Amino acid sequence: MEYRYLGNSGLKVSVLTMGTFTFGGRGDFAMVGNHGVSEARRLVDLCIDNGVNLFDTSNMYSLGRSEEILGEVLEGRRDNVLISSKARMRIGDGPNDEGVSRHHLIRECERSLKRLKTDYIDIYYMHEWDGRTPLEEMLAALDTLVTQGKVRYVGCSNYSGWHVMKSLAIADRDRRPRFVTQQIHYTLEAREAEYELLPISVDQGLGVLVWSPLAAGLLSGKHRRGQETPEGSRQFAGWSEPPIRDEEKLWRIVDALVEIGAERGVSAAQIALAWLLERPGVSSLVVGGRNEAQFRDNFAAVELKLTDQEHQRLHEVSKVPFIYPYWHQRNFAKDRFNDADLALHKDYALD
C-alpha cells in the first residue's frame, strides 16, 4: 500500500480508502449492498491486512447503520486506523434534521460518535453545501468540535469552487479550522472537477478523496455497449448516480479501458483507478465492494503505472471542452500558468 499526505496536513492516508456505503442495507441503500456485521468484518479485515488505514462512512448511510457496523467491527483496534464521517444530509422529518447549523452539526457528531463507539472522528466532512446557514455558524460549530477533541480534521464534499473558496476565506479570517480535504466525484467519465475543484485543491493544499471512482461500476468493464445491465449491479437495482449525459462517450471510455487492460493483463477497473491515482491533488480513492474479489482487484491498481501513450489514449476519449474563461486563458495566459492552472491544462498541448 502507498500512503500520501492529506493535502497540506501532516496526516498520511492510504491511497485506497474503504467506503462503507454497502454496510446496513436500509432504505435506498439496499440497492447498493446490505452487508451485515460478519460480512463487513471480513471485508474490513481484508482491507486492514492490505494496508488500508482510512474507513469512510456517513451519518446518513443506511440511516446510521453503516456507522454502527463500522464501529462494531473496529472495536479494539480503532486507534490503529482512521475514520471519516459526514453530516449535512436530511436524516429525519424534523425542521432541524438537515443542514450545517450549530444545532445539527454538534448533535449529529455526538450521535455518530456513539454509533462508531469512539471518542473522536479523524476527518469530519460537510456532506453537501447548505446555502441557508451562515458559514460563520458552521465553522464556529466545527471549531467547538475540534476544540473538544471530538473531531481532528474537517473537510467538505460536493461543494462548488466558490463554495470551497468562500469557506476557506472565512476560516482564515476568523481563525477557524480550515478544510484540509474535499471528497469529490471525479472519473474519466466525469472530469468536470478539473475546471475548478482540482486547481483549488492544488493551490490551497486540500487533499482530494474521490468517491465512486469507478462511476458506480460503470467503468469496471462489466458494463459494455449494447449489452444488458448486469444482474446484481447498482444500475440493475435502479441506482441513478452518477448521471450520464453522453452515453456514447461513456462507451468510448469503457472500450479504451478494456483494451488497455487486456494489453496489460489487468482489469479495466484497475486502469481507471490507476489513472485517478496519478491526477493532481489526489490523496485517496474511496472504493467499495460487495465481495473480496472486487477489493483484491482494486488493491492491485496501487502498483500499476500507466505509460504516456496509455494516458494519451484515455485523455483523447475523455477530455473536456474548454469552457469560458479557460479557452480565453489558454489564448492569452498560458505562459503564466502555475501548477494549479495545469491541473486542468496539463493534458492539452499548450503550443
Side-chain angles (χ1 to χ4, degrees):
M1 182 58 64
E2 177 188 347
Y3 302 89
R4 297 178 182 176
Y5 287 105
L6 187 63
N8 282 347
S9 80
L11 187 68
K12 281 190 172 183
V13 298
S14 49
V15 294
L16 296 184
T17 293
M18 183 182 184
T20 64
F21 205 63
T22 59
F23 291 7
R26 289 180 178 171
D28 290 341
F29 292 92
M31 288 189 284
V32 180
N34 59 352
H35 291 138
V37 173
S38 60
E39 295 169 296
R41 190 183 303 278
R42 283 197 301 272
L43 295 177
V44 167
D45 289 349
L46 176 68
C47 286
I48 291 176
D49 289 345
N50 282 272
V52 173
N53 75 341
L54 178 55
F55 295 82
D56 182 74
T57 186
S58 170
N59 69 333
M60 71 167 297
Y61 293 169
S62 287
L63 305 177
R65 183 58 180 151
S66 171
E67 289 182 323
E68 290 174 351
I69 293 173
L70 182 62
E72 185 167 347
V73 301
L74 287 178
E75 195 168 11
R77 49 185 173 172
R78 190 271 174 267
D79 289 341
N80 297 321
V81 298
L82 306 171
I83 294 175
S84 60
S85 193
K86 313 176 190 74
R88 153 62 178 93
M89 302 298 198
R90 177 163 288 280
I91 43 80
D93 297 327
N96 291 305
D97 284 343
E98 68 171 333
V100 295
S101 68
R102 184 177 186 87
H103 169 86
H104 186 79
L105 286 184
I106 293 178
R107 185 192 72 181
E108 287 307 304
C109 181
E110 291 175 347
R111 288 177 173 178
S112 290
L113 291 171
K114 291 179 181 178
R115 288 191 290 260
L116 289 163
K117 297 184 177 181
T118 185
D119 296 326
Y120 63 96
I121 295 170
D122 295 283
I123 306 167
Y124 201 41
Y125 286 100
M126 304 299 93
H127 205 166
E128 179 64 84
W129 174 250
D130 176 1
R132 302 301 298 179
T133 301
L135 285 168
E136 290 84 353
E137 179 179 347
M138 177 193 78
L139 292 166
L142 292 176
D143 193 9
T144 296
L145 293 171
V146 171
T147 300
Q148 291 176 344
K150 296 175 180 176
V151 168
R152 294 188 170 174
Y153 297 91
V154 296
C156 61
S157 183
N158 306 310
Y159 277 32
S160 69
W162 75 266
H163 296 153
V164 177
M165 288 305 298
K166 184 175 182 180
S167 302
L168 294 175
I170 293 175
D172 290 343
R173 184 197 69 191
D174 294 350
R175 298 185 179 181
R176 300 298 192 186
R178 201 174 195 269
F179 293 151
V180 300
T181 177
Q182 57 173 328
Q183 193 173 132
I184 66 173
H185 183 59
Y186 177 42
T187 70
L188 275 162
E189 189 281 325
R191 294 179 62 179
E192 303 94 336
E194 294 173 6
Y195 289 132
E196 291 287 334
L197 298 180
L198 256 63
I200 287 169
S201 293
V202 172
D203 185 69
Q204 295 295 310
L206 303 181
V208 172
L209 270 78
V210 177
W211 61 262
S212 198
L214 295 177
L218 292 174
L219 302 182
S220 67
K222 297 177 182 178
H223 298 259
R224 300 301 305 275
R225 184 197 312 267
Q227 297 181 6
E228 292 186 3
T229 302
E231 189 171 351
S233 67
R234 298 186 190 186
Q235 289 73 23
F236 188 86
W239 195 257
S240 60
E241 286 189 350
I244 303 301
R245 289 178 288 274
D246 187 340
E247 188 170 333
E248 178 56 32
K249 182 178 181 181
L250 167 67
W251 297 130
R252 288 198 301 269
I253 294 169
V254 172
D255 289 343
L257 289 170
V258 171
E259 291 167 5
I260 294 172
E263 293 165 4
R264 297 288 293 269
V266 302
S267 68
Q270 287 182 39
I271 300 296
L273 297 177
W275 180 84
L276 277 170
L277 287 173
E278 297 182 15
R279 305 308 294 170
V282 171
S283 295
S284 186
L285 312 180
V286 183
V287 296
R290 297 193 179 199
N291 53 59
E292 293 187 13
Q294 290 175 335
F295 276 105
R296 292 187 189 279
D297 189 69
N298 291 340
F299 296 149
V302 175
E303 304 298 326
L304 186 61
K305 304 300 178 186
L306 302 181
T307 67
D308 290 342
Q309 292 77 13
E310 289 165 343
H311 275 290
Q312 188 59 33
R313 286 169 66 182
L314 293 172
H315 171 68
E316 287 300 324
V317 295
S318 65
K319 59 187 177 183
V320 294
F322 279 105
I323 59 176
Y324 179 81
Y326 304 111
W327 60 262
H328 200 277
Q329 293 171 358
R330 284 183 67 81
N331 289 341
F332 297 102
K334 62 188 176 185
D335 60 329
R336 307 283 286 189
F337 282 167
N338 60 21
D339 288 342
D341 297 309
L342 293 175
L344 167 64
H345 292 275
K346 78 183 190 74
D347 292 322
Y348 302 81
L350 291 174
D351 46 84

